[in-house]
Amino acid sequence: MFRSNNIVARVFQRQIYTPAPGTSVHCARRFYENLVPSCTIYDVECPDHLFRKFTDDGQYLISFSRNHQDLIVYRPTWLSFSCKEEDCDAHDLPPKSKRFESFFTQLYCVPLASCNEQICKDFFLYMESNQYGIFATSTPVTEAPASEGAIQGVPFIEKMTFHLLRLGDGVILDEKVFNNDFVNLTHNVGVFLYDDLLAIVSLRNQAIHILQIRDSGNLVDVRAIGAFCHEDDELFLNSNAQCMALPDKSKLPQLPENHAQNGLHHSQPNLEDSFLSGIKQRLLSFIFRGIWDEENDPSLRVQGLKKKFYFHFQDYVNLIIWKVQFLDRHHLLIKFGSVEGVVSRNADHHLAFFAVYNMETTEIVAFYQNSAEDLYLLFEQFSDHFHAASRNSLYMNFISSPSNNIHALEQLRCIKNKANVSSQFVKKMLSSLPFSCQTQSPSPYFDLSLFRFDEKLISATDRHRQSTDHPIKFILRRQPYSLKFKIKSGPEAGSSDGRAKKIALFLFHPFLPLALSIQQTLFLQPSVVNIHFRR
Amino acid sequence: MGSVLGDWPSFDPHNFSQLRPSDPSCPSRMTPATYHPTHSRTLPPPDQVITTEAKNILLRHVYQRTEEKDVLRPKRAPSELLTPEHGCKQPRASPL
């Protein structure tokens, strides 16, 4: 649409031409080719906090104190200064303006964690509609004591609290506590936010807790999927257990008092082992019915079942929930795997399956192995639907993925063609499912249609990366393929100690030409913060 | 017949020259001839309601695949699955 790269010419063009249908956001984004964060303030003097993220609406910068106990929230602003000379552009910025406070105003500092707890610094979720933030504090992670109903080998947290905070003023609205449990919080892995629904995966107790965030600021329990599927399953089973346990009253006189708490366990200890309930039952019966329906002939049917179901029965029974995401308000994508896969670092070699579960009808809709081609095709064609965190957030549809960006699709196809073994490639791609929530920056500088950059050094995913001394280049994707800006982390002259391993974190503002790069060496030295902005 | 636009400048003076007044009683009112269908085959059913599909396209594909598998599988009566040993079903005629 824009023939000229000159920004004034583009503005005039915009006055005359209407963009093609459905491309108004893409056309507006092309102005980011002209407005780039090319100016860098190196090694800005700033408070020694752990900067975590810009919220996706660009209103707040979230950071935690070094001791992991306080939350500090800043408002991104912009620097302003006055210059008495005539030709201001040629001058360098006045030293007084080159400060952290020129760009960020502290709003408040709120203590979240009490004495022996710490804030999980890798976890933060933002609910844009009400400007609520979700944080987590926990006691230290320890080795798991063996206990009934819990998975062996999964770590143990004595107390974990999720805090719902109104970011406008820092008021803590509600809390949800999990005791003697474990939820994987690094990079938002174990928690998924969709609209106002929160899914928390309790690995240790194998339950998916669905909570709703009301507009009033309350965290309300909706259901817990795991041992039970419907909300009233537990009530039903307990009431039946009471009825069936009555004849045994004469043999076990202490039973009636225990009924209220442990109805199922004490009255029918045998059923504990043979009665698979909840989501496990749904899953196994779905697999069974699928194999049963493949054949018409009864003997072939039984053979098929023996080979495909009963031979692997114990493996299926031993599957545990690894990770969960919402596909829409009623459907969950659940990843099942083996116990060993959860605790090991390299989960790729372990068995894994995906299931689509409808929470309303409590039915499993589909079941795939992690090497399933048809799931991979859905992933390739509809990646942005897997990323959906809300029905209403507009910018999520424009984060580059193979389904909405030709360059991302080409990259994916390139890797696919290079892969020797197709199933290995499919497994590798599907290992990123279910996606973690809010881990990608919506900044237009990561739009693959606008800029080309080295994805190993920087990308939309907010993770710490290996830091290099040379700057990361952002090159125009379109004519004239020129270098537009560079992002360099660390001090301007490079660091003196070349041998120390350095990691960098890049925080891009969602829509302003503003970015922070934070370089840390791994020996608790203070981090070097650079501010990249458009002058 | 003069141009509808009178003497105003126009790109092609023959534009609008084919217009005839549809109602002879008021010749200045130049509405173009309209066409009405002679049959009602293409009318929508009177109780038709058009709504947005609640499921997103990904879920539609997931459900479609499941239904395709159901269609491809040999059909079976649902009660067979539950009580095959009760013998209340007629034995299926052999395809051979």
Side-chain angles (χ1 to χ4, degrees), chain A residues 292-293 296 327 331 358 385, chain B residues 56-57 63 73-74 76 81:
Chain A
W292 180 275
D293 289 341
N296 233 352
L327 294 177
H331 294 85
N358 184 331
H385 286 274
Chain B
N56 66 38
I57 193 167
Y63 275 93
R73 275 188 216 126
R76 49 137 187 92
L81 181 61

Side-chain angles (χ1 to χ4, degrees), chain A residues 123-416:
Chain A
F123 176 77
F124 166 62
L125 287 177
Y126 183 61
M127 191 180 162
E128 199 174 324
S129 45
N130 296 335
Q131 295 195 349
Y132 290 160
I134 302 162
F135 302 90
T137 57
S138 69
T139 52
V141 180
T142 55
E143 280 300 309
S147 67
E148 189 183 311
I151 305 292
Q152 297 284 354
V154 172
F156 174 81
I157 294 178
E158 202 184 308
K159 182 182 178 198
M160 174 184 282
T161 316
F162 289 93
H163 304 265
L164 181 71
L165 206 109
R166 187 168 52 214
L167 285 176
D169 50 12
V171 169
I172 298 178
L173 297 167
D174 204 352
E175 284 175 0
K176 171 87 180 150
V177 179
F178 288 83
N179 286 313
N180 304 331
D181 209 335
F182 181 74
V183 179
N184 191 351
L185 289 175
T186 47
H187 300 289
N188 302 350
V189 159
V191 184
F192 200 94
L193 177 67
Y194 183 88
D195 250 355
D196 57 345
L197 293 177
L198 200 58
I200 301 175
V201 179
S202 154
L203 274 179
R204 194 166 156 75
N205 296 326
Q206 281 299 293
I208 304 167
H209 298 272
I210 309 286
L211 295 130
Q212 188 180 23
I213 305 171
R214 309 303 293 252
D215 285 337
S216 56
N218 293 75
L219 279 172
V220 175
D221 285 321
V222 174
R223 50 169 68 93
I225 302 164
F228 309 107
C229 287
H230 285 286
E231 291 93 345
D232 54 355
D233 278 352
E234 191 173 2
L235 178 66
F236 179 79
L237 286 169
N238 280 350
S239 61
N240 272 356
Q242 282 181 12
C243 295
M244 288 166 81
L246 281 168
D248 291 333
K249 240 186 190 168
S250 54
K251 294 172 197 166
L252 298 161
Q254 69 272 30
L255 199 55
E257 299 97 69
N258 293 338
H259 255 306
Q261 296 112 22
N262 307 326
L264 194 58
H265 300 293
H266 282 252
S267 55
Q268 286 162 350
N270 296 333
L271 284 187
E272 188 61 44
D273 301 323
S274 59
F275 183 51
L276 292 168
S277 69
I279 196 161
K280 197 58 78 67
Q281 182 270 332
R282 295 286 193 276
L283 184 65
L284 290 171
S285 58
F286 182 83
I287 301 171
F288 179 92
R289 285 210 320 274
I291 300 171
W292 180 275
D293 289 341
E294 274 172 14
E295 299 288 340
N296 233 352
D297 184 66
S299 57
L300 283 175
R301 212 177 244 173
V302 171
Q303 266 185 33
L305 275 175
K306 273 191 204 165
K307 214 171 49 170
K308 296 182 202 171
F309 185 68
Y310 291 110
F311 189 65
H312 302 289
F313 185 75
Q314 202 52 48
D315 289 333
Y316 284 134
V317 170
N318 292 342
L319 284 177
I320 58 167
I321 301 171
W322 275 7
K323 200 173 169 190
V324 155
Q325 73 160 96
F326 280 100
L327 294 177
D328 73 353
R329 281 184 83 85
H330 303 303
H331 294 85
L332 293 174
L333 177 70
I334 307 175
K335 185 170 185 178
F336 289 95
S338 59
V339 180
E340 296 80 24
V342 164
V343 297
S344 84
R345 296 195 130 252
N346 186 4
D348 290 342
H349 300 303
H350 295 273
L351 208 59
F353 299 94
F354 296 97
V356 177
Y357 174 73
N358 184 331
M359 290 196 293
E360 298 297 317
T361 61
T362 71
E363 281 176 6
I364 301 265
V365 176
F367 182 73
Y368 305 97
Q369 265 210 330
N370 65 341
S371 54
E373 286 277 343
D374 41 0
L375 182 62
Y376 169 73
L377 282 173
L378 288 177
F379 168 76
E380 196 186 277
Q381 287 167 356
F382 306 116
S383 293
D384 41 1
H385 286 274
F386 282 105
H387 276 295
S390 162
R391 284 173 296 191
N392 301 321
S393 66
L394 183 64
Y395 59 83
M396 287 301 291
N397 295 335
F398 301 100
I399 294 182
S400 294
S401 71
S403 56
N404 66 13
N405 191 297
I406 188 91
H407 303 284
L409 184 61
E410 270 172 19
Q411 276 175 6
L412 185 63
R413 292 261 164 89
C414 197
I415 304 172
K416 186 178 182 180

